[in-house]
């Protein structure tokens, strides 16, 4: 059947995590609580870094930018999901769907680059401490942050621009909790091969490049830590880097499984679980990962509370 003889879809229906009615309210309460803590944690961290002069260093400027990206990623997905839990109308318009993916995709790409420059920052701070003020000045730090966000916006714009060429007429039901790009390809009646190929290429390049930067940086940091004679300095370096590595492992692990792995047919339930992790759970965990084990942040929080 040709596209001309089919009804082109302009409204989608998101089925969410489950269609069981008895689970809608409990899931709403769980994810509303997670979203509230996510926003308080990430925005609170941004305000704390902004207000406390002791935290006006590259490391914390990167951390504040990461918190903002996490807040944007969570806000692009969670509010719509919460509304759908309490409403029987799960419709979302085409423009709304593309906009949701654009903002989430921008935030996720930005986070990849921010995590890589944060790893480079730790490498310079630990391996070249005397050159750190020169190699990682606040002005250079801000340039890294601006480039990370610009690349994120441009990368997402490319995929949204290519989505516009697709017609959706197979079905208007998306068996997902947000407008995820791979799910949109499944209901396209236009051949999405080029779109899928570009998603794979860009994902492999961006995730591969940034992940290798992180691995090389932390491998160099590990070697430097092992050579350190000071037990206190070694403990502090391990504490800082272990928090970064935990966040990186959670974020990149789920992204690789979702976008870079070969088609393994693992099932929609596993895909939803991977997506749930990097859209909602990781932005929720990051403020705790970076703050609770960071003495400077906890000290700044105590100062502001006093």
């Amino acid at each position: 059947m040709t596209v001309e003889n089919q009804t082109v879809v302009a409204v989608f229906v998101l089925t969410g995590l489950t269609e069981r009615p008895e689970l809608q309210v409990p899931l709403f309460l769980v994810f509303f609580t997670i979203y509230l803590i996510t926003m308080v944690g990430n925005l609170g961290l941004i305000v704390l870094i902004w207000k406390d002069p002791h935290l006006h260093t590259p490391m914390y400027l990167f951390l504040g930018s990461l918190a903002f990206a996490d807040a944007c990623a969570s806000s692009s997905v969670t509010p719509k999901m919460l509304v759908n839990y309490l409403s029987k109308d799960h419709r979302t318009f085409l423009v709304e769907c593309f906009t949701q993916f654009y903002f989430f995709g921008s935030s996720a790409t930005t986070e990849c680059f921010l995590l890589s420059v944060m790893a480079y920052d730790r490498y310079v701070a630990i391996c070249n401490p005397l050159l750190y003020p020169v190699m990682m000045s606040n002005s250079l730090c801000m340039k890294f942050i601006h480039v990370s966000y610009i690349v994120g916006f441009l990368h997402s714009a490319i995929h949204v621009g290519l989505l516009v060429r697709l017609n959706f007429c197979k079905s208007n039901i998306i068996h997902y909790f947000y407008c995820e790009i791979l799910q949109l390809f499944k209901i396209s009646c236009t051949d999405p091969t080029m779109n899928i190929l570009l998603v794979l290429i860009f994902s492999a390049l961006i995730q591969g490049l940034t992940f290798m930067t992180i691995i090389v940086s932390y491998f160099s940091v590990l070697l430097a830590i092992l050579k350190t004679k000071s037990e206190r300095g070694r403990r502090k370096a391990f504490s800082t880097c272990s928090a970064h590595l935990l966040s990186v492992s959670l974020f990149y692990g789920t992204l690789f499984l979702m976008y870079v792995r070969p088609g393994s047919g693992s099932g929609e339930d596993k895909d939803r679980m991977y997506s749930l992790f990097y859209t909602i759970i990781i932005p929720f965990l990051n403020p705790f990962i970076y703050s609770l084990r960071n003495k400077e942040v906890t000290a700044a929080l105590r100062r502001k509370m006093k």
Side-chain angles (χ1 to χ4, degrees):
M1 185 180 286
T2 61
V3 174
E4 287 78 5
N5 293 330
Q6 297 182 6
T7 302
V8 177
V9 172
V11 179
F12 301 115
V13 176
L14 296 168
T15 60
L17 290 174
T18 179
E19 295 181 62
R20 294 173 60 181
E22 69 274 15
L23 292 179
Q24 301 303 306
V25 173
L27 284 173
F28 169 82
L29 294 174
V30 168
F31 287 111
F32 176 74
T33 304
I34 289 174
Y35 180 63
L36 195 62
I37 296 171
T38 299
M39 297 309 291
V40 170
N42 283 294
L43 296 181
L45 188 57
I46 293 168
V47 172
L48 184 64
I49 292 169
W50 175 46
K51 289 285 188 181
D52 196 307
H54 297 89
L55 301 181
H56 292 179
T57 61
M59 176 181 171
Y60 295 105
L61 292 176
F62 287 135
L63 186 54
S65 299
L66 182 70
F68 182 73
D70 278 334
C72 290
S74 185
S75 295
S76 65
V77 173
T78 312
K80 179 65 178 177
M81 185 174 71
L82 292 175
V83 169
N84 286 344
Y85 279 132
L86 298 183
S87 171
K88 293 182 179 179
D89 184 6
H90 293 181
R91 292 181 302 169
T92 182
F93 292 98
L94 187 68
V95 173
E96 186 183 356
C97 199
F98 286 2
T99 302
Q100 184 186 51
F101 169 74
Y102 175 77
F103 282 107
F104 172 73
S106 300
S107 303
T109 304
T110 299
E111 189 158 341
C112 286
F113 284 96
L114 286 174
L115 288 170
S116 67
V117 294
M118 286 172 74
Y120 175 70
D121 173 72
R122 290 301 84 205
Y123 160 74
V124 176
I126 294 171
C127 298
N128 298 286
L130 298 178
L131 295 175
Y132 183 76
V134 178
M135 294 178 68
M136 190 59 72
S137 62
N138 280 8
S139 61
L140 181 61
C141 166
M142 292 309 298
K143 288 177 183 176
F144 277 135
I145 292 170
H146 291 152
V147 169
S148 297
Y149 275 95
I150 289 168
V151 172
F153 293 142
L154 290 177
H155 175 235
S156 201
I158 290 169
H159 292 301
V160 171
L162 289 168
L163 274 175
V164 173
R165 77 179 188 89
L166 302 181
N167 288 312
F168 302 95
C169 53
K170 289 181 180 178
S171 170
N172 72 331
I173 297 175
I174 301 175
H175 296 283
Y176 232 66
F177 59 94
Y178 79 105
C179 292
E180 200 273 325
I181 193 168
L182 299 181
Q183 303 303 316
L184 292 172
F185 294 157
K186 291 180 181 180
I187 60 173
S188 169
C189 52
T190 309
D191 184 11
T193 303
M194 185 175 75
N195 298 63
I196 295 170
L197 188 61
L198 285 174
V199 167
L200 179 61
I201 291 170
F202 276 114
S203 297
L205 283 173
I206 291 171
Q207 293 173 37
L209 177 65
T210 54
F211 187 68
M212 284 307 299
T213 302
I214 293 166
I215 293 299
V216 171
S217 296
Y218 281 122
F219 182 73
S220 302
V221 166
L222 179 61
L223 293 178
I225 290 173
L226 294 175
K227 294 177 183 177
T228 302
K229 294 180 180 180
S230 168
E231 185 65 28
R232 184 173 176 273
R234 186 182 298 182
R235 208 167 37 240
K236 182 180 178 182
F238 263 124
S239 177
T240 303
C241 294
S242 61
H244 291 197
L245 284 172
L246 178 58
S247 178
V248 166
S249 301
L250 292 172
F251 184 67
Y252 277 91
T254 51
L255 281 183
F256 275 129
L257 287 170
M258 192 70 191
Y259 294 107
V260 182
R261 60 172 184 172
S264 57
S266 65
E268 289 184 355
D269 288 340
K270 284 188 178 179
D271 286 346
R272 274 195 287 264
M273 189 58 64
Y274 298 145
S275 294
L276 189 67
F277 227 83
Y278 63 71
T279 55
I280 296 173
I281 304 300
I282 291 174
F284 164 72
L285 291 176
N286 272 348
F288 299 101
I289 291 172
Y290 285 106
S291 301
L292 294 181
R293 299 189 62 183
N294 190 302
K295 291 181 180 178
E296 285 84 357
V297 172
T298 52
L301 184 60
R302 287 194 198 99
R303 283 194 296 270
K304 293 303 170 186
M305 289 177 71
K306 288 178 181 178

